[in-house]
Amino acid sequence: MASEQMVHMSQGQGETSYARNSSFQKAEQNRMKSLIEAVIAELCGSRSTLLTGKIVIADLGCSSGPNALALVSTAINAIHSQCVHLQQPPPEVCVLLNDLPDNDFNTVVKSLVTLRQSKDPVVLTGVIPGSFYERLFTSDSLHLVCASNSLQWLSKAPEDLTRNHIPVFDTDEHVRRERFPLVREAYAHQFRNDFTLFLELRAKELVSGGRMVISLVGTCSDVIASKFFLFPGIVAQILSAMVAEGAIDKAKFDSFYVPVHGPSGEEVREIIEEEGSFSIREMRAHDPTTEMNTALSTPRKFVNNLRALFEPIIVQHFGDIMDEFVRTAELHWSLDPDGSLQEERTRTSRAMLVVSLAKLH
């Protein structure tokens, strides 16, 4: 099933909503700030020929809550500061926010009012529902594209696995370990296809010399980690425990695929260079352990973060099992008899990848 049909963060403003459980994502957006400011300085520079009195900025995968406007607000503030510094009138700014149709756009639209109240620069806004694995904007219309914490989500689960009914996370540990390289390769192949398509589409929509600043959850290197990608791996462990208890059907569990892949920096660089539409201006990788440990520091935070990210996917596949899922997750946290959760958190070679790209002429 294509991820665009099921992937969205938990809506609203409640305790388990994405809006209330996205501190980790906010910390990562803050790390993108300097790159966005550098891009704006180039776009608005005194010798820049890219702008003709206007700048169009798109945030792809904006989600909802306090983080939805973070990247575009950084860009708008940078535009204002740059124009004051150069003593030139600011361009008109058009801000376009994109996410999948099931995103909580009601909350997003209300928050856009604050941007539209800006007088200097003039800010116009719009919402574009749809998958960023399809065309979203007219050709040569965008100056800056941002995407934060979203490109690790795939367009769909790998067909090599779904077509051949190969479970991602077998309840038998020996089988799971033997199958892991096959599973990871299938996910890496799907990511390569999706990310290549993403670059091709954005190259059509950006003006010549336009810029992109993207971040995604990945891994430190091409060395295959001994455990699965952190959050889906934890969810799979919890669901596996529920299978053992008879709370969910094993066949149903075996057909559950989370469309997420954490690429290495080498994977990302190789795909960008092979696709050929962009040059890499800067690429950073850092260990998000501190922010992640804060987000998962108590049983309540742990469960709420999992629900904010995965509840819609879980409920769509298994039905309303969240009460049992919460109970099992809390038990998983409090007992953790074999240290599997702690091992998952310490041995997964996770990294946050941030890349600044320029469209080639």
Side-chain angles (χ1 to χ4, degrees), residues 199-214:
L199 295 170
E200 292 172 350
L201 295 172
R202 304 296 81 81
K204 293 177 181 179
E205 297 165 347
L206 280 159
V207 300
S208 180
R211 302 295 298 271
M212 279 207 298
V213 180
I214 60 175

Side-chain angles (χ1 to χ4, degrees), residues 160-178:
D160 288 349
L161 303 182
T162 58
R163 182 176 57 248
N164 296 308
H165 306 290
I166 299 173
V168 172
F169 193 96
D170 199 283
T171 52
D172 184 297
E173 184 176 359
H174 177 70
V175 173
R176 182 168 69 246
R177 288 181 179 276
E178 282 194 340

Side-chain angles (χ1 to χ4, degrees), residues 115 130 135 190 231 246 270 275 335:
L115 286 184
R135 279 293 299 273
Q190 184 63 49
F231 286 115
E270 182 179 292
E275 193 280 327
L335 296 181

Side-chain angles (χ1 to χ4, degrees), residues 209-212 277-281 356-360:
R211 302 295 298 271
M212 279 207 298
S277 297
F278 295 89
S279 64
I280 300 174
R281 292 293 185 88
S356 178
L357 301 168
K359 181 184 171 182
L360 297 171

Side-chain angles (χ1 to χ4, degrees), residues 59-353:
D59 184 345
L60 308 187
C62 67
S63 195
S64 61
N67 295 346
L69 301 184
L71 300 183
V72 295
S73 295
T74 292
I76 291 170
N77 292 337
I79 291 169
H80 176 77
S81 298
Q82 188 69 16
C83 291
V84 168
H85 173 70
L86 296 173
Q87 296 184 325
Q88 65 185 31
E92 294 181 341
V93 179
C94 179
V95 168
L96 303 171
L97 300 183
N98 154 262
D99 213 309
L100 294 170
D102 285 333
N103 184 52
D104 187 3
F105 280 116
N106 286 335
T107 302
V108 172
V109 169
K110 290 175 183 177
S111 63
L112 281 174
V113 173
T114 57
L115 286 184
R116 291 184 61 87
Q117 291 173 341
S118 173
K119 303 297 182 184
D120 187 18
V122 174
V123 179
L124 304 175
T125 61
V127 169
I128 311 294
S131 168
F132 49 52
Y133 296 122
E134 63 188 17
R135 279 293 299 273
L136 295 169
F137 310 100
T138 56
S139 299
D140 303 314
S141 62
L142 305 178
H143 297 91
L144 171 61
V145 169
C146 300
S148 169
N149 294 285
S150 54
L151 283 165
Q152 68 270 10
W153 290 97
L154 305 174
S155 66
K156 58 185 176 182
E159 288 185 354
D160 288 349
L161 303 182
T162 58
R163 182 176 57 248
N164 296 308
H165 306 290
I166 299 173
V168 172
F169 193 96
D170 199 283
T171 52
D172 184 297
E173 184 176 359
H174 177 70
V175 173
R176 182 168 69 246
R177 288 181 179 276
E178 282 194 340
R179 189 180 286 153
F180 177 70
L182 170 68
V183 170
R184 191 191 186 286
E185 179 57 33
Y187 271 87
H189 179 70
Q190 184 63 49
F191 175 79
R192 177 175 291 273
N193 290 341
D194 284 343
F195 190 45
T196 299
L197 177 61
F198 177 86
L199 295 170
E200 292 172 350
L201 295 172
R202 304 296 81 81
K204 293 177 181 179
E205 297 165 347
L206 280 159
V207 300
S208 180
R211 302 295 298 271
M212 279 207 298
V213 180
I214 60 175
S215 76
L216 65 161
V217 185
T219 55
C220 295
S221 70
D222 275 330
V223 177
I224 296 179
S226 61
K227 287 287 186 177
F228 285 86
F229 192 44
L230 181 66
F231 286 115
I234 292 174
V235 170
Q237 287 185 26
I238 295 167
L239 293 172
S240 179
M242 293 172 65
V243 171
E245 295 171 358
I248 57 177
D249 181 67
K250 184 180 185 300
K252 197 76 171 173
F253 173 73
D254 287 344
S255 64
F256 181 60
Y257 302 91
V258 179
V260 172
H261 174 67
S264 68
E266 291 90 336
E267 283 180 84
V268 171
R269 181 180 295 276
E270 182 179 292
I271 295 168
I272 292 169
E273 292 175 349
E274 285 185 359
E275 193 280 327
S277 297
F278 295 89
S279 64
I280 300 174
R281 292 293 185 88
E282 189 169 352
M283 187 169 181
R284 303 174 181 174
H286 69 272
D287 184 351
T289 298
T290 300
E291 293 90 349
M292 199 169 287
N293 285 345
T294 299
L296 305 178
S297 58
T298 67
R300 174 167 288 188
K301 286 184 177 181
F302 169 68
V303 172
N304 286 348
N305 271 274
L306 290 183
R307 294 186 67 176
L309 292 172
F310 297 105
E311 181 168 350
I313 300 175
I314 292 170
V315 169
Q316 183 179 69
H317 188 78
F318 293 102
D320 189 7
I321 63 167
M322 292 314 297
D323 287 347
E324 184 65 20
F325 180 87
V326 169
R327 185 195 68 77
T328 306
E330 289 176 344
L331 192 63
H332 188 71
W333 171 272
S334 60
L335 296 181
D336 195 21
D338 58 358
S340 57
L341 173 61
Q342 191 62 30
E343 182 187 11
E344 189 84 33
R345 293 169 67 183
T346 57
R347 294 183 65 184
T348 301
S349 56
R350 58 192 174 274
M352 282 302 304
L353 309 175

Side-chain angles (χ1 to χ4, degrees), residues 14-23 25 300-301 304-305 308:
E15 184 181 8
T16 62
S17 67
Y18 178 81
R20 295 273 295 275
N21 296 279
S22 52
S23 60
Q25 290 84 350
R300 174 167 288 188
K301 286 184 177 181
N304 286 348
N305 271 274

